[in-house]
Amino acid sequence: VSLKHALLGLLAESPASGYDLLKRFNTSLAFVWPAKQSQVYAELGRLAEEGLISVTGTGARNRTEYGITAEGLAELRHWLATDDGERTYRSGPLLRVFFLWTLPPAARAEYLDGFARELEERQIEFRRLRDETDWGDTDIDKCARVVLEFGLRSSAVTEEWASWAAQQLGA
Amino acid sequence: VSLKHALLGLLAESPASGYDLLKRFNTSLAFVWPAKQSQVYAELGRLAEEGLISVTGTGARNRTEYGITAEGLAELRHWLATDDGERTYRSGPLLRVFFLWTLPPAARAEYLDGFARELEERQIEFRRLRDETDWGDTDIDKCARVVLEFGLRSSAVTEEWASWAAQQLGA
DNA sequence: ACGTTCATGTAATCAGTTACATGATTTT
DNA sequence: AAAATCATGTAACTGATTACATGAACGT
């Protein structure tokens, strides 16, 4: 159950409303741990009941701001320190490649080349983010940059691989 | 809904029982699309009802062997040809890195070095698989090898990245 | 006889997605 | 006055995990 810890982590940075948090899930966290609106609001309710977060203020339009509590921070640190060994990756694109042999060679290469192009675009987006964001030299920003760097490196090798795979399976 | 297509893909290769398929999900598909026992048997039932697969034989100990039907193969090819654009990656380890700033520098490096070591072991396992399997030169095997190659390349860069990140965040 | 592997299923629960619903405030 | 954005919530459903449960056949 990691949505819980994603929320705690974001709230450890600064208090925020469900709406604020949602924006994070659609931007910085989109490639790491995406979440939907309904899920975020529901989880915030549960965390508040558990006492891991608490309402720190309210604003216009029913805005409710939550902050992390001491117990919440302890829970977050505990989760970080104890690796649960969960390594469940799921990749739709990769699953398709596994079964690409059922298609004619031309279609195989087409699929993989399309995938490569997509990854190229993603890299451009990541590079733009890296270069156009003005990063502070706080630890928070350092961590975010390190994660972004992973996105960049990983989409680069995946693109290379997809192009290579298109060659392998296209003939 | 991709478990459906994972099953169709495996059955396109050859008829198999739920038990047989489960072994595939725990080996070759473990890093691409893992699935649990209860899920596999339930989905097989649904696919049979839909007419995408059918019982091709029975054996000792209630063994029920399914084979893909013409409709099933059409559905598989259709799914392969039309990319649904779903790109939801979720990575627990990466999520942790995002929040590593809440821990002292030593603990950050420890986490990332541990992650790197894990990826090194995974690479060894992948290399063993690549070298010790006797691959035929069928299209089926070519696809499987291409996917395995992805696992190898991707765990290699991730390992490098994790070691680099340990340096970045450890001081 | 005994342990292991083969083989399937069900029930409860948890996590995630889609769709619907509402209304206040700010901007143009 | 209208449109856009802010802001939260609920209900129905689908997908995935955990745990329980059973029993036949095979190897030693």
Side-chain angles (χ1 to χ4, degrees), chain A residues 18-36:
Chain A
Y19 193 83
D20 296 335
L21 294 164
L22 241 115
K23 278 187 282 185
R24 302 289 307 270
F25 280 102
N26 292 328
T27 55
S28 37
L29 284 183
F31 288 94
V32 171
W33 205 273
K36 303 283 176 180

mmCIF file of all heavy atoms in Angstrom, chain A residues 18-36:
data_model
loop_
_atom_site.group_PDB
_atom_site.id
_atom_site.type_symbol
_atom_site.label_atom_id
_atom_site.label_comp_id
_atom_site.label_asym_id
_atom_site.label_seq_id
_atom_site.Cartn_x
_atom_site.Cartn_y
_atom_site.Cartn_z
ATOM 1 N N GLY A 18 -6.169 18.258 -1.023
ATOM 2 C CA GLY A 18 -6.303 17.158 -1.961
ATOM 3 C C GLY A 18 -6.074 17.646 -3.385
ATOM 4 O O GLY A 18 -5.406 16.983 -4.189
ATOM 5 N N TYR A 19 -6.597 18.804 -3.655
ATOM 6 C CA TYR A 19 -6.454 19.397 -4.982
ATOM 7 C C TYR A 19 -4.992 19.671 -5.330
ATOM 8 O O TYR A 19 -4.531 19.364 -6.434
ATOM 9 C CB TYR A 19 -7.248 20.702 -5.032
ATOM 10 C CG TYR A 19 -7.445 21.261 -6.411
ATOM 11 C CD1 TYR A 19 -8.468 20.799 -7.215
ATOM 12 C CD2 TYR A 19 -6.611 22.256 -6.898
ATOM 13 C CE1 TYR A 19 -8.669 21.324 -8.488
ATOM 14 C CE2 TYR A 19 -6.798 22.783 -8.166
ATOM 15 C CZ TYR A 19 -7.823 22.313 -8.955
ATOM 16 O OH TYR A 19 -8.011 22.828 -10.207
ATOM 17 N N ASP A 20 -4.270 20.229 -4.370
ATOM 18 C CA ASP A 20 -2.833 20.480 -4.553
ATOM 19 C C ASP A 20 -2.091 19.170 -4.827
ATOM 20 O O ASP A 20 -1.278 19.074 -5.743
ATOM 21 C CB ASP A 20 -2.220 21.098 -3.289
ATOM 22 C CG ASP A 20 -2.794 22.470 -2.976
ATOM 23 O OD1 ASP A 20 -3.268 23.142 -3.922
ATOM 24 O OD2 ASP A 20 -2.776 22.866 -1.790
ATOM 25 N N LEU A 21 -2.384 18.166 -4.010
ATOM 26 C CA LEU A 21 -1.696 16.887 -4.110
ATOM 27 C C LEU A 21 -1.955 16.243 -5.459
ATOM 28 O O LEU A 21 -1.061 15.648 -6.069
ATOM 29 C CB LEU A 21 -2.148 15.967 -2.974
ATOM 30 C CG LEU A 21 -1.738 16.452 -1.576
ATOM 31 C CD1 LEU A 21 -2.535 15.736 -0.490
ATOM 32 C CD2 LEU A 21 -0.240 16.256 -1.358
ATOM 33 N N LEU A 22 -3.191 16.370 -5.921
ATOM 34 C CA LEU A 22 -3.547 15.802 -7.210
ATOM 35 C C LEU A 22 -2.688 16.335 -8.338
ATOM 36 O O LEU A 22 -2.338 15.607 -9.265
ATOM 37 C CB LEU A 22 -5.006 16.101 -7.506
ATOM 38 C CG LEU A 22 -5.773 14.808 -7.659
ATOM 39 C CD1 LEU A 22 -6.780 14.683 -6.562
ATOM 40 C CD2 LEU A 22 -6.374 14.720 -9.017
ATOM 41 N N LYS A 23 -2.368 17.614 -8.253
ATOM 42 C CA LYS A 23 -1.514 18.203 -9.286
ATOM 43 C C LYS A 23 -0.141 17.542 -9.286
ATOM 44 O O LYS A 23 0.424 17.284 -10.348
ATOM 45 C CB LYS A 23 -1.398 19.716 -9.063
ATOM 46 C CG LYS A 23 -2.588 20.485 -9.624
ATOM 47 C CD LYS A 23 -2.391 21.985 -9.564
ATOM 48 C CE LYS A 23 -2.652 22.494 -8.136
ATOM 49 N NZ LYS A 23 -2.594 23.957 -8.017
ATOM 50 N N ARG A 24 0.355 17.219 -8.091
ATOM 51 C CA ARG A 24 1.642 16.529 -8.003
ATOM 52 C C ARG A 24 1.576 15.140 -8.641
ATOM 53 O O ARG A 24 2.503 14.697 -9.298
ATOM 54 C CB ARG A 24 2.102 16.394 -6.543
ATOM 55 C CG ARG A 24 2.236 17.715 -5.792
ATOM 56 C CD ARG A 24 3.406 18.555 -6.261
ATOM 57 N NE ARG A 24 4.692 17.880 -6.275
ATOM 58 C CZ ARG A 24 5.547 17.843 -5.249
ATOM 59 N NH1 ARG A 24 5.243 18.422 -4.104
ATOM 60 N NH2 ARG A 24 6.718 17.221 -5.356
ATOM 61 N N PHE A 25 0.476 14.453 -8.426
ATOM 62 C CA PHE A 25 0.319 13.109 -8.992
ATOM 63 C C PHE A 25 0.209 13.151 -10.517
ATOM 64 O O PHE A 25 0.503 12.178 -11.188
ATOM 65 C CB PHE A 25 -0.912 12.412 -8.401
ATOM 66 C CG PHE A 25 -0.655 11.819 -7.046
ATOM 67 C CD1 PHE A 25 -1.103 12.457 -5.898
ATOM 68 C CD2 PHE A 25 0.057 10.643 -6.911
ATOM 69 C CE1 PHE A 25 -0.861 11.922 -4.642
ATOM 70 C CE2 PHE A 25 0.310 10.101 -5.655
ATOM 71 C CZ PHE A 25 -0.152 10.744 -4.522
ATOM 72 N N ASN A 26 -0.211 14.278 -11.039
ATOM 73 C CA ASN A 26 -0.308 14.396 -12.495
ATOM 74 C C ASN A 26 0.939 14.990 -13.133
ATOM 75 O O ASN A 26 1.044 15.045 -14.343
ATOM 76 C CB ASN A 26 -1.520 15.249 -12.874
ATOM 77 C CG ASN A 26 -2.819 14.547 -12.547
ATOM 78 O OD1 ASN A 26 -2.899 13.321 -12.605
ATOM 79 N ND2 ASN A 26 -3.824 15.310 -12.165
ATOM 80 N N THR A 27 1.887 15.435 -12.308
ATOM 81 C CA THR A 27 3.115 16.000 -12.881
ATOM 82 C C THR A 27 4.337 15.209 -12.405
ATOM 83 O O THR A 27 4.690 14.214 -13.022
ATOM 84 C CB THR A 27 3.266 17.484 -12.510
ATOM 85 O OG1 THR A 27 3.196 17.629 -11.081
ATOM 86 C CG2 THR A 27 2.175 18.320 -13.140
ATOM 87 N N SER A 28 4.928 15.635 -11.294
ATOM 88 C CA SER A 28 6.171 14.998 -10.850
ATOM 89 C C SER A 28 6.029 13.501 -10.564
ATOM 90 O O SER A 28 6.931 12.724 -10.860
ATOM 91 C CB SER A 28 6.719 15.718 -9.611
ATOM 92 O OG SER A 28 5.693 16.145 -8.759
ATOM 93 N N LEU A 29 4.883 13.104 -10.027
ATOM 94 C CA LEU A 29 4.723 11.692 -9.672
ATOM 95 C C LEU A 29 4.080 10.855 -10.774
ATOM 96 O O LEU A 29 3.923 9.647 -10.610
ATOM 97 C CB LEU A 29 3.909 11.564 -8.390
ATOM 98 C CG LEU A 29 4.662 11.885 -7.093
ATOM 99 C CD1 LEU A 29 3.771 11.653 -5.884
ATOM 100 C CD2 LEU A 29 5.917 11.024 -6.971
ATOM 101 N N ALA A 30 3.746 11.477 -11.893
ATOM 102 C CA ALA A 30 2.986 10.780 -12.930
ATOM 103 C C ALA A 30 3.686 9.517 -13.450
ATOM 104 O O ALA A 30 3.038 8.536 -13.792
ATOM 105 C CB ALA A 30 2.688 11.720 -14.089
ATOM 106 N N PHE A 31 5.025 9.527 -13.478
ATOM 107 C CA PHE A 31 5.747 8.369 -14.008
ATOM 108 C C PHE A 31 6.288 7.459 -12.915
ATOM 109 O O PHE A 31 7.078 6.560 -13.189
ATOM 110 C CB PHE A 31 6.885 8.815 -14.915
ATOM 111 C CG PHE A 31 6.395 9.356 -16.224
ATOM 112 C CD1 PHE A 31 6.187 10.717 -16.386
ATOM 113 C CD2 PHE A 31 6.091 8.489 -17.268
ATOM 114 C CE1 PHE A 31 5.707 11.211 -17.594
ATOM 115 C CE2 PHE A 31 5.620 8.976 -18.470
ATOM 116 C CZ PHE A 31 5.421 10.345 -18.637
ATOM 117 N N VAL A 32 5.890 7.741 -11.686
ATOM 118 C CA VAL A 32 6.418 6.973 -10.563
ATOM 119 C C VAL A 32 5.287 6.318 -9.780
ATOM 120 O O VAL A 32 5.331 5.129 -9.494
ATOM 121 C CB VAL A 32 7.246 7.904 -9.641
ATOM 122 C CG1 VAL A 32 7.617 7.199 -8.360
ATOM 123 C CG2 VAL A 32 8.486 8.399 -10.359
ATOM 124 N N TRP A 33 4.264 7.110 -9.485
ATOM 125 C CA TRP A 33 3.104 6.571 -8.774
ATOM 126 C C TRP A 33 1.855 7.404 -9.071
ATOM 127 O O TRP A 33 1.473 8.253 -8.262
ATOM 128 C CB TRP A 33 3.354 6.514 -7.261
ATOM 129 C CG TRP A 33 2.497 5.464 -6.657
ATOM 130 C CD1 TRP A 33 1.211 5.597 -6.209
ATOM 131 C CD2 TRP A 33 2.831 4.085 -6.491
ATOM 132 N NE1 TRP A 33 0.736 4.399 -5.777
ATOM 133 C CE2 TRP A 33 1.701 3.453 -5.920
ATOM 134 C CE3 TRP A 33 3.971 3.316 -6.769
ATOM 135 C CZ2 TRP A 33 1.701 2.089 -5.626
ATOM 136 C CZ3 TRP A 33 3.963 1.970 -6.470
ATOM 137 C CH2 TRP A 33 2.837 1.372 -5.902
ATOM 138 N N PRO A 34 1.238 7.156 -10.227
ATOM 139 C CA PRO A 34 0.052 7.917 -10.602
ATOM 140 C C PRO A 34 -1.136 7.602 -9.697
ATOM 141 O O PRO A 34 -1.206 6.504 -9.126
ATOM 142 C CB PRO A 34 -0.227 7.456 -12.032
ATOM 143 C CG PRO A 34 0.437 6.124 -12.159
ATOM 144 C CD PRO A 34 1.595 6.149 -11.218
ATOM 145 N N ALA A 35 -2.045 8.542 -9.519
ATOM 146 C CA ALA A 35 -3.257 8.299 -8.729
ATOM 147 C C ALA A 35 -4.395 9.181 -9.230
ATOM 148 O O ALA A 35 -4.164 10.253 -9.785
ATOM 149 C CB ALA A 35 -2.994 8.583 -7.263
ATOM 150 N N LYS A 36 -5.597 8.692 -9.043
ATOM 151 C CA LYS A 36 -6.779 9.397 -9.503
ATOM 152 C C LYS A 36 -7.391 10.214 -8.365
ATOM 153 O O LYS A 36 -7.195 9.892 -7.196
ATOM 154 C CB LYS A 36 -7.825 8.405 -10.021
ATOM 155 C CG LYS A 36 -7.347 7.500 -11.130
ATOM 156 C CD LYS A 36 -7.300 8.222 -12.444
ATOM 157 C CE LYS A 36 -6.725 7.316 -13.528
ATOM 158 N NZ LYS A 36 -6.659 7.981 -14.822
#
